[in-house]
Amino acid sequence: MLDSVLTIIPVLFPVLTGAGLLTFRFKERKTLYFWVAGIVVLNALAALLMIFTHGAEPFVLFSFTDTLAFVFRVDSLSAFFGTMVSILWVLTTFYAFEYMKHEGHEQRFFAFFIMAFGVVLGLAFAGNMFTLYVFYEFLTLSTIPLVMHAMDGKARHAGKTYIIYMMAGASLAFIGFIFICLYGGNELFTLGGTLDPMLVKGNEELLRFVFLLTFLGFGVKAALFPFSHWLPAASVAPTPVTALLHAVAVVKSGIFAMIRLTYFSFGTELISGSWEQSFLLILAMVTILYGSIMALRTPHIKRRFAYSTISNLSYIIFGILLCTPQGMSAALLHLIYHALIKITLFFAAGAILYKTHKEYIYEIGGLARKMPIVFGCMAVASFGLIGVPPFAGFFSKWALATAAVDSGNPLAYVGVMVLILSALLTALYCISLLVKAYFPPKGEQADGHDPNWLMCAPLIILSAATIVVALYPQPLLQAINLIAGIS
Amino acid sequence: MEVLCLTALFLPVLTGFITGCLKQDKLRNSVVLISLLMQVLVVLMLIMHPVSEFELLRFTDSIALVFGVDVISMIFLLLISVLWLMAAIYSFEYMKHEDHRPRYYLFYMLTLAALMGLSMAKNLVTMYLCYEMMTLLSVPLVLHTQSKEAISAGLKYLGYSVFGAGLGLLGIFFINHFAATLAFVPGGSLIPELAVGNENLLYTVYLLMMIGFGCKAGMFPLHAWLPAAHPIAPSPASALLSGVITKGGVLAIIRVTYFVFGASFLQGSFAQTICLGLAIFTIFMGSMLAYKEKVLKKRLAYSTVSQVSYVLFALFLMTPLGLIGAILQIIYHALAKNMLFLSAGSIIYKTGLKRVDEYKGLGKQMPFVMIIFTIASLSLIGIPPLGGFVSKWYIAQGAFSNPLGLLGIAVLMISALLTAGYTLPIIIDAFFPGSAFNYKKLKKKDVNILMGLPLGILAVILIVCGLFPKPIMDSLTLLLSALF
Amino acid sequence: MSINWIHNFPFFSIFLAMLGGILTALLNDGKKALRLNQLITLIVAILSLCLLLNVTANNESFTFMMGHFPAPWGNELRAGPLEALMAFVFSILMFLTVTGGQREIFSDVVSDKVKYFFIMINLIFGSILALIYTNDVFTAYVFIEINTIASCAVVMAKGHGRSIIASIHYLIMSSLGSGLFLIGLCLLYDITGHLLMPNIQEQLILLSRSGEYALPLTVVCGLVFIGLAIKSALFPFHTMLPNAYDNSTSAGAGILSGLVLKSYIILILKFIFQVFSLEVIQALKIENVLFVFGIVGMIMGSIYAFREVRIKKMLAYSSVAQIGYIFMGFGIGNMAGFTASCFHILAHAATKTLLFVSAGSLIETNGGKTGIRDLQGAGRLNPFAGVAYSVGALSMVGIPLFAGFASKYYFALSAAGGKLQLSIVLTALAVSMILNAIYFIPTVISIWSKPEGEIKPKAEPTFSFKCVCVAFMMINFILGIFFQPIIAVIEQGLRLLG
């Protein structure tokens, strides 16, 4: 019992300290950094400790009513997501120390940044749909100030777009949440679904439709087409935000919620083979292609990566929608690979922006020669994203496609084709950038140099990590298969 | 001898990185030369002591890097390493007028490693990995000059190749489901129980894979990159791209057709028919385009489109004789096309002339180069006793059993005529420019030993192989019995 | 009876409020008038709390005969958990609103009229309490009229031209409502011969079962409900609100929208349960009408609010939408729906007063301009008001842990009966949530964004204002987190009511 009480510490601690940072003023930048680093590292350690020493016991923080309660529980999926988030958060924090110097208002930034950490962990540790929904909403709130950090016209506009999309998604998710309450109670997440079969009987059609709506609702955060516009718009935010939140934390929270919804609440049995599944599959495929094509057409580096995120998120969504354990396992694999890769790419883009103030591809001709570390890491990550073996993305693509073929769904076969097409587009939009930097047309030579170790170290660690997880995917794969229920 | 296997794979990688760091041309050239000589040696030793299976790295239960050497690998290994050596020697001189030499040799060596891996790949994943590597590592060779056209050609090359490889990968996903193993099994590895009822799906998948891998081999409909990318590279690189790397696609097609799906499964299917049709069409189209093209290197690139599709046509026949013809054509075309590109490179290097209508009297200026050019052309056309004749003979024999094959034979004939049409006029112009031609203004400009030697050696090999194809055919008999 | 003295509390409360109005007239100083008003509201709050605890503990409701005269001569009050809860919450909100908005009252109301303003506030308070407690339809009418006139005076308090026009508009619409209501009452009296609610109900049930007077009964129903709907500004009878709120003081607007409108809705609730009875209502299909108007109001109110550029008008339209929620809850027609509506009465009252008070303070900070655009940066200069406004806005949107979420949750659950109803309610809630977000969030962003140029706050928030903000936010969180006991009280109250 004591064990499970502790699970909320990594959730509450950052939220409280973040709020504290908002009110307390530091005079020196160094002291601020010291405290921020302390809080983030401590919290990450606490989270990891909880994750690796937990019993999967639920902890009820507070019961609103008899059926509505704040429940936390660290199951294997939470552990997976929580670990990923904690590690990446620490790295991003160090990167942000250097990066945020040129953005200003660091204290406000780090306050909300820390709060968001707690909220994401809360989302990961949520034990039932209500808790998940609450943190889902809070994630939106805690990240708005980060998106609008610059507070100029462009940032405000992006913030408005962001919040309106998010609220629309949340309102759809709310519908799903109510139905889950009505048809299954607000039970603890269990693999296979929590709906009461007695109540479901005769209402399958309705419930499937609700599933569709809810999925779309979570799809807003996961940038499912046509709700994906906010993501490229939000790339006005400081790079650590775009890197961590809009490639990992926020969007993957949408994905995480989708997994919870599909596999742990509604259950795949209900959805498998329905027209809703087909519809969503098609939507995911459209998103994959849309994201890739838009990425190819976008010369702004950060926005290009944002579109790439849209496309890659739908790889994961595609995996989820296969409604098979293999599909879920593939989705989780791509989730973690994409997180590592995309955060590296954004860090690299941020480093370029920070050092040279160049944002467009046509400005970076020959820059690779001047910034070898940044571009080296970017190249490694790019190859991973394309899915060139033996880089990371290949294995997740492999898992996704084989799961699709194994599922026997004809639409999934089409999906495999879409994956291939998207890989082509990915290759084009990644490599054209690299070619520009490494093999510029004669006479072009942009100026710049590598940033200091605070920015380089996270980049190098992350790109090394993408290589390691690619060369030794077996342990990771085993863990993921365990989560997905494949023995 | 697993060490040999490893050496064959990683020696080029190692020397590649070393050469990439070396600033002095002489030192670098000698490192490259020594390493490539050692490479040939290692390959020869590997042929003597073949390794049947060698697992380099296991990623997951289903995905592992496995290498091994069978007869097909041997042929490819030897061909590739020899051609690479020759082109390297040629490059020492040729690359003097290009920048970024360390980078050129770096990727030159790395591409070799990828090709070594491709030849020795023992399962589909390994093959795919090496295939992608081959593409990516050869892109810098294509866009070496970094001119606008080179960069766009490089990206075009990349796009087509990645898409082609992607189609191949698509097939691999399906094979993973329908086949017992991802490893290559002579005669095919499909599980009959699973395949029953899904034939049409599998045929479609096969067709897509062929189109995908056919991209590298310049087969219609994914051929458009080839005339853009091959000529734009430095000539030794064009030679290798056209003579060797196209064969990477062919190798993949051999593996998929004979070692995964199996000839017996595919024989008579609609996929076979369509593939044959595509190959025949490509042969014709390539020759026609080459005939109309005026820039020499582009003409040669189109010629590659046509000639490699001879190989594909032969492979898709799925008969023993066809396969023999295909293997022979691979060897002869690789040699001949290398010679042609290298000669074309020499002409450009020495005179700067790029268009075929400027070559009047060249035979007097550069007699050695033009003789090499003539030998290669004659082989390409298929005039006995040169190699090209032997391979075409077997292809034609293999084609008789197939109704579409007869059409193919007819097209082969037409294509031979067209080949003659696009090579012979150059030779005639060069040696017999006509009585009105003024010889006085010409100066002797023939190539030096560094460029001449590889050309000579290649010519000798081509002639010898043409005269004595028997050993190659004999080595294949054991394999043929396993495949059919 | 030993607890008899507690039964006097409702009467004391009303009496105190009315007395306060009279006493204020004798005072010569606005400050003193304010203190008196604060004192009275606090006392009433305490009395109501005692009453609430008592009736919930005993699970009883009682009627109180004024002067112990039995009907038909006497006048009755009735109190149960629901009434006591409403009275308690409303008096606290009244106290906070007046305290929080005091500076604007003193600065904007014509200086020698401040005293009269407080008289009106006291009268409004008294009439709200009366409407909550009354058991007599005619008493209800009387207090409706008192309420109307006092409200008009509050609207007019700033004394400039626009406010006079607004108050005339308000007066006309309100009078129309009371007029219709009065006609309805007359007919009702004709049909039944009673003025006390329980007596009328007895007769009506008999009539409806016998089938006599079917048409007049329908007409009565229509007149009463339309009359009260106009008074409570249900869409499309909302036209008087925006100008009235925009031109009155923030505290006045808060009271009018948060409390006064709600008192009419409570009256509707009493009519449904105690006069017409659910049986008659269902027979006449009134609930379906309310449902449709409620939903339309939810959406249309938000759309109007979305198009508005002045913050107080926007809040007014938002009230229209929120009133729609409440009517939709009535229209769902089951006990859960009524419970949700009652909860929303509280939630919206608490949130809207908070919004008006904080918006008023933000406007003061930025120098009195009421456009949303003019508020840029106000939150940075006046963080207490800014945070309070943000909390209110989030509650309106329906973010969990805020009051608005709890009512949304109960609305959704209450509709679980029929699939069609459920889908309509959920869709309406979802759309409304998006619309709320669309118009509230930009204002929040605006108040927190960087002001153009350096702006000095025009007025520093006072200590009492800060306390009020904190109290308001606490109420919001209490409603949003500990809603189960409140819901339990409401359920108990509704059970005892009908």
Side-chain angles (χ1 to χ4, degrees), chain B residues 42-114:
Chain B
V42 169
V43 166
L44 284 173
M45 283 165 73
L46 202 56
I47 289 172
M48 312 255 206
H49 310 279
V51 182
S52 67
E53 199 170 303
F54 163 53
E55 186 179 301
L56 179 64
L57 185 61
R58 177 160 285 281
F59 296 108
T60 68
D61 296 333
S62 54
I63 307 176
L65 290 185
V66 183
F67 295 97
V69 178
D70 64 359
V71 180
I72 304 237
S73 312
M74 289 176 192
I75 294 171
F76 273 88
L77 283 173
L78 193 59
L79 187 69
I80 291 165
S81 51
V82 169
L83 287 175
W84 228 263
L85 175 65
M86 294 303 141
I89 297 171
Y90 179 89
S91 302
F92 296 152
E93 176 67 22
Y94 184 87
M95 289 308 287
K96 278 183 184 163
H97 83 301
E98 298 270 359
D99 293 332
H100 303 299
R101 281 184 290 276
R103 190 180 76 201
Y104 171 80
Y105 286 109
L106 167 65
F107 286 104
Y108 187 86
M109 297 307 283
L110 290 181
T111 311
L112 174 63

Side-chain angles (χ1 to χ4, degrees), chain A residues 329 333 337 399 473-482, chain B residues 59-61:
Chain A
S329 139
L333 195 65
Y337 281 177
Q474 192 63 12
L476 188 65
L477 213 60
Q478 272 166 356
I480 286 172
N481 282 341
L482 220 61
Chain B
F59 296 108
T60 68
D61 296 333

Side-chain angles (χ1 to χ4, degrees), chain A residues 62 64-66 137 179 203, chain C residues 399 410 419 426 481-482 484:
Chain A
F62 181 79
F64 292 88
T65 70
D66 309 329
E137 292 260 27
F179 268 89
N203 293 318
Chain C
I399 304 288
Y410 277 102
K419 272 186 203 171
L426 283 178
I481 296 173
F482 304 99
Q484 194 177 23

Side-chain angles (χ1 to χ4, degrees), chain B residues 206-215 219 253 256-257 275 316:
Chain B
Y206 174 75
L207 185 61
L208 287 175
M209 287 183 91
M210 287 308 108
I211 291 174
F213 288 126
C215 172
M219 186 174 80
I253 288 178
V256 172
T257 309
C275 287
F316 294 142

